[in-house]
Amino acid sequence: MSMRFVATPTRVILKRFSPPACRFRRTAWSFTAGADDALQRICSAMLESGRRAVYCMPSFEMLRRYVRFAGAEPIEIAWPQGPLPADALIEAGRGAELLFIVSPNNPTGTVATREDLVRLRESLPGTLIALDAAYGEFADDDLTSLALSMPWTVVTRTLSKAWSSAGLRVGYAAGDVRAIDWLRAVGQPYAVSGVSLALAKALLENAEPLERKFVSRVRDERSRSHAF
Ligand SMILES: Cc1ncc(COP(=O)(O)O)c(C=O)c1O
């Protein structure tokens, strides 16, 4: 294989793969094999028997599995619809090592607000907050940049959803430098192949209008279905 695959300029990928307001200043990042790899690393790094992780349900089913694989206790807060149950999350999050916020949430499409995130961050200073922004491109207000401005907070994103490229297995975790160092330490050193990164770069360089078109179509359809 050509060494050019290995030398894929990751900054080009990150620049296009992140919301425009993200500058990655004072932020660490790491490519992962999809967002799944990032979420599992977060659990491996933060959890063990006797520790707790809090998240809402229904949500991305793998969260429960990753928390359990790490030997920790999952604390599930109901969020079937409507606003994020921030009070219940704060109550459950006291003394927990990890809090996941999936926004927009899968499968409900519910979203956390900026005010929610700020409140959670201020109320739970010792808890790592992980914002799963797998569907961030579909949100009216993508919380990634806000989350990256906060201490002890990480964000996970993926090319699997808005970019329709789940098979590439390209995602990233970004945020608090110490947390990202730990995530790097608990997984494979080169989790994403050079071929996938090269394809990701080609996709992001050439398909931006397509992504915009696709995202706006989904958002339009969502508005129409909400109108019923
Ligand atoms: C909310 C959420 N987070 C993360 C993932 C994992 O995505 P990936 O394909 O990047 O591992 C999914 C996939 O369904 C998801 O729905």
Side-chain angles (χ1 to χ4, degrees):
M1 186 205 303
S2 159
M3 283 304 288
R4 280 182 300 145
F5 279 130
V6 179
T8 298
T10 49
R11 285 196 178 277
V12 173
I13 301 178
L14 277 176
K15 199 169 159 218
R16 291 177 173 269
F17 186 7
S18 309
C22 266
R23 290 289 173 264
F24 284 92
R25 273 193 214 115
R26 296 210 315 274
T27 295
W29 56 267
S30 182
F31 282 118
T32 53
D36 266 301
D37 180 28
L39 297 171
Q40 184 163 28
R41 284 172 190 245
I42 291 168
C43 290
S44 302
M46 295 302 302
L47 301 175
E48 63 184 359
S49 172
R51 295 190 166 197
R52 288 184 292 148
V54 180
Y55 52 87
C56 291
M57 272 289 158
S59 192
F60 182 43
E61 185 60 32
M62 293 307 289
L63 288 183
R64 181 183 285 151
R65 295 196 195 190
Y66 294 146
V67 171
R68 288 206 175 128
F69 284 157
E73 184 192 351
I75 312 250
E76 300 183 347
I77 303 297
W79 186 21
Q81 58 185 359
L84 185 81
D87 288 336
L89 287 171
I90 291 168
E91 185 63 29
R94 291 193 208 289
E97 279 68 27
L98 180 59
L99 169 68
F100 284 109
I101 302 294
V102 183
S103 183
N105 190 31
N106 169 18
T108 56
T110 47
V111 291
T113 63
R114 285 175 177 262
E115 293 70 28
D116 290 330
L117 194 55
V118 170
R119 206 174 140 223
L120 290 165
R121 183 62 291 160
E122 287 174 356
S123 306
L124 301 169
T127 305
L128 182 76
I129 295 184
L131 172 71
D132 176 345
Y135 295 92
E137 288 89 345
F138 298 103
D140 292 333
D141 187 12
D142 187 341
L143 302 180
T144 299
S145 305
L146 173 64
L148 292 182
S149 71
M150 295 174 156
W152 207 222
T153 304
V154 294
V155 179
T156 59
R157 295 182 72 97
T158 179
L159 284 184
S160 293
K161 310 301 179 186
W163 298 92
S164 312
S165 299
L168 283 186
R169 309 312 300 143
V170 177
Y172 69 74
D176 185 277
V177 175
R178 189 164 50 120
I180 299 297
D181 267 356
W182 290 356
L183 300 201
R184 288 202 185 107
V186 295
Q188 292 178 34
Y190 302 105
V192 188
S193 74
V195 175
S196 282
L197 287 175
L199 290 171
K201 177 172 169 278
L203 171 79
L204 292 163
E205 278 178 343
N206 297 308
E208 198 165 357
L210 276 184
E211 182 259 359
R212 286 217 190 106
K213 209 168 138 192
F214 173 60
V215 169
S216 56
R217 204 178 68 221
V218 170
R219 288 162 58 110
D220 284 352
E221 283 171 10
R222 183 177 62 198
S223 310
R224 278 206 302 278
S225 65
H226 282 179
F228 275 111

